[in-house]
Amino acid sequence: MAKMNFGGVTENVVTRQEYPLSKALETLKDDTIAIIGYGVQGPGQSLNLRDNGFNVIVGQRKGSKSWDKAVADGWVEGKDLFEIEEACRRATIIEYLLSDAGQIAMWPTIKKHLTAGKALYFSHGFGITYSDRTGIVPPADIDVIMVAPKGSGTSLRRLFVEGRGLNSSYAIAQDATGKAYDRVVSLGIGVGSGYLFETDFRREVYSDLTGERGTLMGAIQGIFAAQYQVLRDHGHTPSEAFNETVEELTQSLMPLVAENGMDWMYANCSTTAQRGALDWWKRFRDATLPVFNELYDKVAAGEEAQRSIDSNSKADYRTGLEAELEELRESEMWRTGETVRSLRPERR
């Protein structure tokens, strides 16, 4: 573990240079890692672990779409693809990668197989942090650990195949064996993390729920929609409104921000854009800060968690979800986006 300075604050990080794959493989050479859930994170993490040489099996309900996807990805029934309980029985490390609602429903089944010395692994702090609402309370004689990639499972896999990595946080909630640190870091390296930074389950879920509802998805969609509407209301065409709102940001500016930072972007744009950005960014910060404070308070109070639990447990949840997604998908802005994407040179 190394000490790194981030903006004047020292944090604990682990890099692949100081904890190489060979060390991770040696640490887990006697372990069997079961991936329970093959939805968002399961495919990327399991395939990366398998390609890196770890002993990995997948546990999924036979006959489900996820089972079929696992088969299509090369997992073989009876060899490294099993029903959930059989995978848990065989495993020494259980990666619990079902959805938050799925984890609640499956917990009584999983808990039966958490015998002394095993490790229970999460990629989200939800189930443990809100245990009073989820009922997920692991036995005291196992390790409880987390690696949370900072991106989708699709991105995790794509970057791995490209020879790169997606940064992840790691946390230890319970160290019953004295091996929790080496286990969690080895798994973090194994799933393809760029570097690992230390957190805890509570901080991970608070930041994650805030981010998803904020700049990662909720707030950015809200800002897109507002600017697009203003431009359309003032006579700009759908193509022009979309290009100025979304396309230029995602295709031109954000890659440069990712490479060099927003400070570099401000220093390297036209003087007109520079002046406008400097004059207006604090206005947007001040306008949205109360919303972000309200959001964080609701996350910390468990209100957002409870809303997710209540909503996702409804029998008609998928029907309602599809209606909401269709509204987004069929909006003029994103129908325009579909056309714009089809016109990108690489798609011709």
Side-chain angles (χ1 to χ4, degrees), residues 246-274:
V246 179
E247 191 74 353
E248 185 174 351
L249 174 68
T250 58
Q251 298 303 299
S252 175
L253 302 187
M254 277 298 115
L256 291 173
V257 173
E259 291 174 12
N260 305 297
M262 187 63 84
D263 54 330
W264 181 92
M265 179 61 68
Y266 273 43
N268 287 274
C269 63
S270 72
T271 55
T272 302
Q274 185 180 73

Side-chain angles (χ1 to χ4, degrees), residues 153-199:
T154 301
S155 298
L156 184 72
R157 180 61 178 169
R158 182 180 298 154
L159 290 172
F160 176 86
V161 171
E162 293 174 359
R164 300 158 64 195
L166 190 66
N167 298 333
S168 303
S169 60
Y170 75 93
I172 300 169
Q174 199 166 273
D175 183 6
T177 67
K179 301 184 297 183
Y181 174 79
D182 282 316
R183 277 175 150 177
V184 73
V185 171
S186 296
L187 290 163
I189 297 299
V191 301
S193 301
Y195 76 85
L196 295 152
F197 61 94
E198 187 177 31
T199 188

Side-chain angles (χ1 to χ4, degrees), residues 30 52 85 113 137 155 171 188 232 251 253 270 282 285 317:
D30 297 323
N52 270 333
E85 286 211 60
H113 299 281
V137 180
S155 298
R232 290 289 286 123
Q251 298 303 299
L253 302 187
S270 72
K282 291 181 182 178
R285 179 200 62 190
Y317 168 69

